[in-house]
Amino acid sequence: MEFRRIKSAEDFAAVFALRYRAYIANDLIEPNRTGMSIDNYDLLENCQIFGLYLDGRLSASLRIHRVTDDTPWCPAIKSFKEYLIPELEEGNTFIDGSRFCVEPTRDPELSALPFLTVRFAYMASIHFSATYNISVVRSEHAAFYRRYYGFERWAGGVNLDWYKLPVDLYVGDMRTNRSRIDERLPFMQSNFEERLMLFTDDLPHQGIKSVKGLFGNLATNSVSDNAPGSNLRDWLSKTAVG
């Protein structure tokens, strides 16, 4: 099992195609000609994109935005500004996990896949000492976040311009939830080296491209080339938002 920070143009293309397949399979977006799902939030400086690989195959992905008073940009703020901006003004910070997707043709027995995908946002919340871990979800997924992660519904019933179903804002307070999550879901835990590899470029710039996680999984990252940025903008120009 590999938790990978997405850096190369090839990996970005695979993630955007996986998003598209997953959302089309669940009738959540309208079809487009490119077979990719990408938006302007993928290009922001506070954005990081991750892939979960099983047996070398991309099986799930999650995007995170580290949201602070200095970088107050994420999809959730566009839809729930009145709830989130006051928190930033009080000095609180968020990790906004979005564009959650899993391979629609996956083995049904891989029931842990959603948990392992959310693990990216959980690790980021710890690494960046975020006050809150937030997610914008459709109502049928709300029980998952409430039951296992202690998220609370702050607002809801909002329609997005690219998504077919209304969504709710769910928020988990890391100050009170972390110990509960670690005890109930021990596989969510991580070591410092794994988080350092995924959320910074310190180790890749030293020539280290992978480390072992707490439970034997690989965490990988690589020094980014110059290609992905231009490719992302080109794909975005050809793709309807979705």
Side-chain angles (χ1 to χ4, degrees):
M1 182 184 302
E2 177 188 350
F3 290 78
R4 183 185 300 180
R5 170 89 170 270
I6 301 301
K7 288 285 194 67
S8 72
E10 180 182 2
D11 284 349
F12 276 117
V15 164
F16 298 151
L18 172 58
R19 287 180 186 172
Y20 183 82
R21 291 197 306 276
Y23 299 158
I24 287 292
N26 289 279
D27 193 28
L28 299 175
I29 62 172
E30 297 293 342
N32 66 49
R33 292 176 298 173
T34 66
M36 290 185 176
S37 180
I38 179 174
D39 63 26
N40 284 306
Y41 292 102
D42 290 312
L43 305 177
L44 295 179
E45 64 182 73
N46 64 329
C47 174
Q48 296 178 336
I49 298 174
F50 300 92
L52 177 60
Y53 290 75
L54 301 178
D55 298 323
R57 181 186 178 191
L58 176 65
S59 300
S61 177
L62 189 74
R63 175 178 71 184
I64 70 162
H65 289 84
R66 182 191 180 197
V67 187
T68 70
D69 192 42
D70 292 328
T71 56
W73 316 302
C74 70
I77 283 184
K78 178 180 179 182
S79 302
F80 299 99
K81 181 182 297 186
E82 65 271 33
Y83 301 95
L84 299 177
I85 292 296
E87 295 289 342
L88 292 178
E89 291 173 344
E90 290 183 10
N92 295 320
T93 61
F94 318 126
I95 293 297
D96 180 8
S98 63
R99 293 299 175 126
F100 176 106
C101 60
V102 298
E103 174 56 56
T105 61
R106 73 188 186 281
D107 187 335
E109 294 186 1
L110 294 176
S111 57
L113 202 52
F115 294 95
L116 295 172
T117 308
V118 172
R119 185 172 179 264
F120 284 115
Y122 184 65
M123 287 191 289
S125 298
I126 294 169
H127 182 79
F128 294 114
S129 300
T131 316
Y132 298 112
N133 193 342
I134 68 177
S135 191
V136 174
V137 301
R138 62 187 196 265
S139 59
E140 55 262 45
H141 288 172
F144 172 78
Y145 289 91
R146 287 197 309 266
R147 178 179 180 183
Y148 295 107
Y149 300 104
F151 279 34
E152 297 179 352
R153 184 181 183 270
W154 279 18
V158 170
N159 293 304
L160 307 179
D161 56 5
W162 63 278
Y163 199 75
K164 290 185 177 182
L165 298 177
V167 294
D168 301 334
L169 172 66
Y170 274 82
V171 179
D173 190 328
M174 289 295 292
R175 296 167 295 188
T176 57
N177 284 353
R178 180 179 176 183
S179 60
R180 173 179 177 269
I181 294 169
D182 285 348
E183 181 178 351
R184 185 170 189 179
L185 304 171
F187 58 83
M188 297 293 288
Q189 298 178 44
S190 57
N191 57 32
F192 174 74
E193 292 79 11
E194 182 178 10
R195 298 192 298 271
L196 189 67
M197 173 59 73
L198 291 171
F199 304 114
T200 79
D201 290 332
D202 293 351
L203 297 182
H205 281 300
Q206 297 175 37
I208 303 170
K209 295 186 178 180
S210 68
V211 299
K212 280 286 184 71
L214 193 61
F215 298 99
N217 60 281
L218 279 180
T220 62
N221 195 345
S222 62
V223 178
S224 180
D225 56 35
N226 294 323
S230 59
N231 280 329
L232 263 62
R233 289 175 175 81
D234 182 55
W235 294 330
L236 185 60
S237 70
K238 297 176 181 177
T239 307
V241 174

